[in-house]
Amino acid sequence: VQLQASGGGLVHPGGSLRLSCAASGSIRSIDSMGWYRRAPGEQRELVARITTDGSARYADSVKARFTISRDDAKNTVYLQMNSLKPEDTAVYYCQAARLYLGGVVVGRDRWGQGTLVTVSS
């Protein structure tokens, strides 16, 4: 079971990006999923998380600018990032708490490889 993140890149301040994270392998469902980021010289921090019923929570620094969503049919989580700022520059990682196949947990605390977002003029 793997998580594959994509969608990072270079964007000007005020621009937008959409990150995707798809889970692959023998899985049927995933419970809560999230996005984290690590800026240069900083610790990893939570950006947003979403539960199976669609409830989401965000870091204060990204509220009203970022939106997390999920497509359970595709086992994919998204992060729509608008009004990007230079301080949003970081490697973004997706995470899945538990992955299931037929009611059996087949993976716990899985992380994607990270995708770099650079916000610069």
Side-chain angles (χ1 to χ4, degrees):
V1 178
Q2 293 184 330
L3 299 182
Q4 181 71 40
S6 61
L10 173 64
V11 63
H12 293 309
S16 298
L17 281 175
R18 188 193 194 204
L19 305 183
S20 300
C21 176
S24 62
S26 298
I27 58 172
R28 180 64 182 272
S29 62
I30 306 171
D31 61 12
S32 67
M33 302 180 75
W35 287 96
Y36 294 75
R37 67 187 181 187
R38 178 176 285 156
E42 301 289 334
Q43 292 187 336
R44 186 174 63 197
E45 64 174 356
L46 170 70
V47 177
R49 289 201 67 83
I50 186 167
T51 62
T52 52
D53 65 0
S55 297
R57 61 186 176 100
Y58 299 90
D60 289 342
S61 59
V62 306
K63 283 181 180 177
R65 298 189 299 122
F66 290 11
T67 302
I68 188 171
S69 61
R70 59 190 292 164
D71 184 337
D72 290 333
K74 297 180 179 179
N75 288 320
T76 299
V77 63
Y78 305 96
L79 186 69
Q80 178 66 44
M81 305 186 294
N82 299 327
S83 302
L84 282 160
K85 304 175 181 180
E87 51 264 43
D88 294 318
T89 295
V91 177
Y92 284 70
Y93 300 89
C94 57
Q95 185 263 1
R98 283 185 294 268
L99 304 97
Y100 297 88
L101 179 63
V104 177
V105 176
V106 295
R108 297 178 188 271
D109 193 28
R110 293 296 174 94
W111 291 83
Q113 85 286 4
T115 184
L116 176 63
V117 172
T118 303
V119 185
S120 176
S121 55

